[in-house]
Amino acid sequence: MGLIEACRATIAANSEHLCALDRAIGDGDHGTNMRRGCEAVSAEDASVSALPLPDALEKIGLTLVMNIGGAAGPLYGTLLMEMGRKLRVPDEERDFPSALKQAINAVARRGRSHAGDKTLLDVLYPVQDALAHRLPLTDIARQAELSAELTAAMRAMRGRASYLGDRSIGHVDPGASSCALLTTAICRYLEEYRPV
Amino acid sequence: MNGNRPNVGIVIVSHSPLVARGTADMVRQMVGDSVPLAWSGGNSHGELGTDARGILNAIEEAWSDAGVAVFVDLGGAETNSEMAVEMLGLPRSKQVSICNAPVVEGAVIAAAEASGGASLTKVVATAEELSP
């Protein structure tokens, strides 16, 4: 099983849960949207896997933009496309933490969001921090899960949930949750296959 | 068209294909066919959502050298529209404005303004006056 399949499988298995989270504070389709996006990437698995990493990341990003069909499309799409662009820059192509950091900043600009706004950024920033400190993969995954849970206490400042104001408090953000699921799937995959 | 000068184009983006089409229909009936007009509604499967490629196609369809004003409903419509504008590429992306205005009223007022040959800046400003 490849990394793309691992991501697709975790989203498919949790699609209902993500929809339920989104029904509480959004429009209820985050699971369906993420599933459709992951399936579209999965359908291109063979051609994507044959590409150099920067090109693969950009292609996956564009596929997500085209297929998710909600705000998550441009956000996840920007994350991957920017990573691809950064990792293509000569002399920087091996600096994964720096590429991730710049890509996360691009996501923040795209969504005009900050840490604490109850979005996927509230998982991405801690994950990037854990990565920069070279924490073990299992700790990075745990950090992602904890960070997603912490969004429950936050008041949504962006997206459909922000219309609910204080009523958004008490619910985990669906985007933060899908982001934690994907991070965990990626960490588990890397832990298992230990690439050089 | 106003003389030889092209009029600003209008694009309507909604999560709902019915809302997008209905709004475009309303603009057409109220303003006539003097402005290039296109809509994109729903995701690529026609369900509620927005579709960056669909929006890009709509911008191409309503393209005018005077520029294009885009009207969006909720969150994802705006982010996906920004994505579509980037995909349009320079220099044309500089001539597209995503308006901070209500989608129906904004589109009608913008189209009325555009039909008189107003510049993109003026069209956008007029529509955005609707937002506090």
Side-chain angles (χ1 to χ4, degrees):
Chain A
M1 185 171 80
L3 184 52
I4 288 175
E5 174 54 21
C7 290
R8 189 207 61 78
T10 198
I11 290 298
N14 291 281
S15 154
E16 258 316 301
H17 174 62
L18 291 172
C19 281
L21 290 178
D22 197 27
R23 264 194 295 276
I25 56 168
D27 36 21
D29 59 2
H30 188 60
T32 320
N33 287 346
M34 289 302 291
R35 188 176 184 155
R36 188 173 44 231
C38 289
E39 275 165 8
V41 173
S42 185
E44 292 178 3
D45 198 338
S47 64
V48 166
S49 302
L51 295 172
L53 183 62
D55 298 2
L57 288 168
E58 274 205 61
K59 184 163 183 189
I60 294 170
L62 193 61
T63 305
L64 291 175
V65 171
M66 294 305 182
N67 289 281
I68 290 182
L75 298 177
Y76 278 111
T78 297
L79 181 71
L80 291 160
M81 285 155 78
E82 278 296 310
M83 290 254 286
R85 285 179 200 138
K86 298 302 172 205
L87 291 173
R88 190 175 286 126
V89 178
D91 302 329
E92 288 178 25
E93 65 265 47
R94 296 195 68 84
D95 193 350
F96 194 82
S98 159
L100 181 62
K101 186 173 187 176
Q102 295 180 67
I104 293 170
N105 290 339
V107 175
R109 282 196 300 277
R110 165 80 60 214
R112 289 190 280 282
S113 300
H114 307 94
D117 283 355
K118 198 180 179 95
T119 69
L120 79 171
L121 285 174
D122 292 312
V123 170
L124 288 174
Y125 283 127
V127 163
Q128 199 280 326
D129 195 51
L131 188 71
H133 286 93
R134 300 181 174 277
L135 293 190
L137 288 163
T138 46
D139 291 1
I140 297 178
R142 195 171 306 126
Q143 181 66 262
E145 284 162 9
L146 277 173
S147 303
E149 282 163 28
L150 287 175
T151 63
M154 297 173 184
R155 185 175 185 274
M157 302 304 286
R158 289 293 294 160
R160 162 91 167 75
S162 65
Y163 302 139
L164 297 177
D166 286 343
R167 280 183 290 145
S168 65
I169 298 172
H171 302 277
V172 169
D173 180 65
S177 182
S178 64
C179 192
L181 285 166
L182 289 166
T183 306
T184 306
I186 292 167
C187 289
R188 262 195 215 127
Y189 178 85
L190 296 178
E191 184 74 31
E192 207 165 316
Y193 292 94
R194 289 256 164 224
V196 217
Chain B
M1 297 286 167
N2 185 28
N4 294 324
R5 218 156 39 117
N7 289 333
V8 168
I10 305 288
V11 167
I12 292 147
V13 180
S14 169
H15 279 62
S16 154
L18 292 173
V19 169
R21 205 177 95 184
T23 306
D25 188 49
M26 192 167 154
V27 169
R28 210 32 115 207
Q29 291 197 38
M30 295 177 83
V31 181
D33 53 10
S34 58
V35 291
L37 174 71
W39 59 270
S40 172
N43 64 24
S44 55
H45 294 247
E47 301 150 359
L48 288 189
T50 46
D51 169 23
R53 183 174 288 158
I55 300 168
L56 177 62
N57 292 342
I59 295 173
E60 298 268 13
E61 196 185 328
W63 183 255
S64 156
D65 289 337
V68 173
V70 181
F71 292 85
V72 300
D73 56 6
L74 307 169
E78 185 182 21
T79 356
N80 264 317
S81 295
E82 287 174 1
M83 207 82 209
V85 172
E86 276 176 31
M87 291 183 331
L88 189 65
L90 289 168
R92 287 198 297 169
S93 58
K94 294 260 187 217
Q95 290 165 265
V96 182
S97 287
I98 299 169
C99 302
N100 176 24
V103 64
V104 178
E105 294 90 332
V108 170
I109 285 189
E113 190 71 39
S115 69
S119 68
L120 179 63
T121 315
K122 181 80 171 87
V123 167
V124 172
T126 307
E128 290 190 343
E129 274 173 27
L130 293 165
S131 288

